[in-house]
């Protein structure tokens, strides 16, 4: 049976950066050294504990080979309750392509402590790897794999594009590095970052982004606090900023240059896509998605299972969402 070739869609022509993959595998990891470990939430009394952790990878093949949007793997020491070595955990890189040092020797990531209760016993549960990393002291060694991931990265020619980043929680990690890369290397690009968190004290890298926005007129930073009032605008999710900050964001969305990146909690992508479908004129919407007529007629009833079936995203929308 022959299938007709799919028609070219917006974004198919974009050339993406090449990503180096799997220099170190779990069976043959390398070792990095913690050189910084500090809180990175806006308030000391944040509801969650999130830390910015820098790792020196000097002398390994990881030097200069890690880019924002990729992950590194961490093998925590010790064994699980069955006596087996703990499994690998992946963490998004927060560093720009040149690393924290400009030479690619210091990479960074953003780690939230996993703190929970066991469902059955009601006893405290502490995530193994996140707490190992958050407790790590400067000078401690860490077993690393990676890098991994090649789909959530910047294009080869960023100057041809503007960038609209949506993050919730630790989903901010890749955008720290991407924003730094773009503001350094791509003066023609406009960059907007919309960051969502439960409380203002939970905003991650808030000072970093405020400072960058003050220095770079091409960069705007928009926060959406979901459990507190936002300067008289009520409680907001990231997608609500498409409405409240329309004057700043819509010109980017209608220009045809913009790539949309979404990273964070699973479900956030749906609200963003619905808001785009409700507000953008068809000539702008077609840059980002093609929607079957029945779905277009009832945007309020969209659910995640419709993605890629009734809602077809173009390559100008990049999603990295985790439950
Ligand atoms: P968090 O601090 O709890 O913040 C999440 C924010 O998103 C809250 O303000 C929450 O609001 C809001 N939210 C919940 N449902 C939403 C929806 N449907 N649409 C829009 N906003 C919504 O976040 P976190 O604990 O750091 O979790 C971040 C998530 O990102 C995790 O699931 C993590 O696995 C994922 N993540 C993914 C990657 C990746 O894919 N590479 C990297 C890092 C993190 P309310 O709670 O008030 O409803």
């Amino acid at each position: 049976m022959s299938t007709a070739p799919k028609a070219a869609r917006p974004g198919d022509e974009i050339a993406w950066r090449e990503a180096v993959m799997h220099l170190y595998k779990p069976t043959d990891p390398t070792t990095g050294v913690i050189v910084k470990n500090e809180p990175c939430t806006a308030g000391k009394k944040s509801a969650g504990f999130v830390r910015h952790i820098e790792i020196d990878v000097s002398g390994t093949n990881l030097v200069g080979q890690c880019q924002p949007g990729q992950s590194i793997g961490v093998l925590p020491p010790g064994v699980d309750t069955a006596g087996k070595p703990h499994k690998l955990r992946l963490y998004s890189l927060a560093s720009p392509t040149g690393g924290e040092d400009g030479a690619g020797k210091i990479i960074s990531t953003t780690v939230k402590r996993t703190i929970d209760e066991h469902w059955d016993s009601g006893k405290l549960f502490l995530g193994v790897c996140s707490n190992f990393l958050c407790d790590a002291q400067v000078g401690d060694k860490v077993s690393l794999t990676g890098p991994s991931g090649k789909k959530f990265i910047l294009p080869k020619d960023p100057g041809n594009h503007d960038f609209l980043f949506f993050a919730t929680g630790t989903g901010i990690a890749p955008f720290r590095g991407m924003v730094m890369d773009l503001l350094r290397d791509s003066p023609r690009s406009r960059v907007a970052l919309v960051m969502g968190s439960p409380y203002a004290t939970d905003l991650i890298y808030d000072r970093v982004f405020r400072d960058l926005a003050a220095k770079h007129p091409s960069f705007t930073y928009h926060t959406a606090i979901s459990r507190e009032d936002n300067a008289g605008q009520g409680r907001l999710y990231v997608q609500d900023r498409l409405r409240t900050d329309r004057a700043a964001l819509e010109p980017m969305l209608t220009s045809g240059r913009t790539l949309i990146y979404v990273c964070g909690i699973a479900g956030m992508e749906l609200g963003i896509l619905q808001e785009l479908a409700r507000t953008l004129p068809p000539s702008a919407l077609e840059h980002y998605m093609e929607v079957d007529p029945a779905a277009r007629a009832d945007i309020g009833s969209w659910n995640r299972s419709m993605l890629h079936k009734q809602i077809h995203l173009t390559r100008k929308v990049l999603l990295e969402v985790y439950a």
Side-chain angles (χ1 to χ4, degrees):
M1 194 175 77
S2 71
T3 30
K6 281 186 186 163
R9 292 194 296 148
D12 285 354
E13 73 289 356
I14 298 170
W16 301 93
R17 281 182 174 184
E18 264 132 50
V20 173
M21 299 272 281
H22 309 308
L23 292 172
Y24 294 98
K25 301 198 170 120
T27 47
D28 187 21
T30 189
T31 303
V33 179
I34 304 281
V35 290
K36 190 186 270 189
N37 185 346
E38 62 186 23
C40 56
T41 45
K44 284 209 169 104
K45 294 222 166 184
S46 159
F49 301 100
V50 186
R51 300 184 75 88
H52 173 74
I53 296 176
E54 297 188 2
I55 305 171
D56 188 344
V57 295
S58 297
T60 78
N61 294 338
L62 293 176
V63 172
Q65 302 300 332
C66 299
Q67 54 178 305
Q70 290 193 291
S71 299
I72 44 157
V74 175
L75 286 159
V79 292
D80 62 20
T81 47
K84 292 196 171 150
H86 285 302
K87 290 207 177 84
L88 177 84
R89 266 62 161 199
L90 294 179
Y91 292 93
S92 290
L93 287 155
S95 34
T97 303
E100 301 294 334
D101 56 332
K105 291 180 183 163
I106 313 274
I107 58 173
S108 69
T109 184
T110 317
V111 184
K112 181 176 189 175
R113 287 185 188 271
T114 302
I115 301 173
D116 212 336
E117 282 186 351
H118 286 280
W119 285 108
D120 41 1
S121 63
K123 288 199 173 155
L124 178 66
F125 169 82
L126 293 176
V128 170
C129 197
S130 65
N131 284 289
F132 158 68
L133 283 171
C134 287
D135 286 344
Q137 304 290 306
V138 168
D140 284 356
K141 292 188 170 148
V142 51
S143 194
L144 299 173
T145 70
S148 60
K150 57 181 178 182
K151 295 203 166 143
F152 195 77
I153 50 181
L154 291 172
K156 264 190 186 151
D157 297 316
N160 293 339
H161 301 281
D162 296 322
F163 296 83
L164 179 48
F165 297 131
F166 289 96
T168 51
T170 49
I172 193 71
F175 300 141
R176 178 180 177 276
M178 287 184 186
V179 168
M180 287 175 169
D181 271 7
L182 292 170
L183 296 183
R184 204 191 73 157
D185 301 333
S186 192
R188 286 188 53 223
S189 299
R190 280 184 294 172
V191 182
L193 168 64
V194 185
M195 166 62 181
S197 69
Y199 300 97
T201 48
D202 297 321
L203 287 167
I204 300 170
Y205 301 127
D206 186 58
R207 177 47 51 205
V208 173
F209 293 120
R210 284 186 195 283
D211 287 350
L212 287 173
K215 249 195 249 160
H216 299 269
S218 60
F219 173 56
T220 56
Y221 172 55
H222 312 251
T223 59
I225 308 301
S226 60
R227 301 185 198 175
E228 290 175 312
D229 178 51
N230 291 257
Q233 295 171 307
R235 299 173 181 203
L236 299 176
Y237 272 173
V238 281
Q239 61 267 31
D240 297 320
R241 282 292 176 210
L242 289 167
R243 177 174 40 82
T244 61
D245 296 10
R246 191 173 180 160
L249 302 178
E250 196 169 275
M252 289 180 75
L253 289 162
T254 52
S255 73
R257 281 174 49 89
T258 296
L259 304 179
I260 299 175
Y261 291 65
V262 178
C263 188
I265 201 158
M268 65 182 291
E269 75 282 26
L270 192 69
I272 292 167
L273 298 174
Q274 286 174 299
E275 196 58 34
L276 293 173
R278 281 193 194 102
T279 54
L280 287 183
S283 60
L285 190 65
E286 69 185 15
H287 290 294
Y288 309 110
M289 67 185 101
E290 201 179 298
V291 184
D292 291 353
R296 208 179 318 137
D298 191 6
I299 296 167
S301 71
W302 287 10
N303 60 62
R304 295 184 74 216
S305 70
M306 294 165 74
L307 277 180
H308 314 299
K309 293 183 190 132
Q310 290 102 315
I311 306 156
H312 310 273
L313 302 183
T314 72
R315 295 294 309 277
K316 292 188 169 185
V317 182
L318 295 89
L319 305 180
E320 183 92 357
V321 292
Y322 283 19

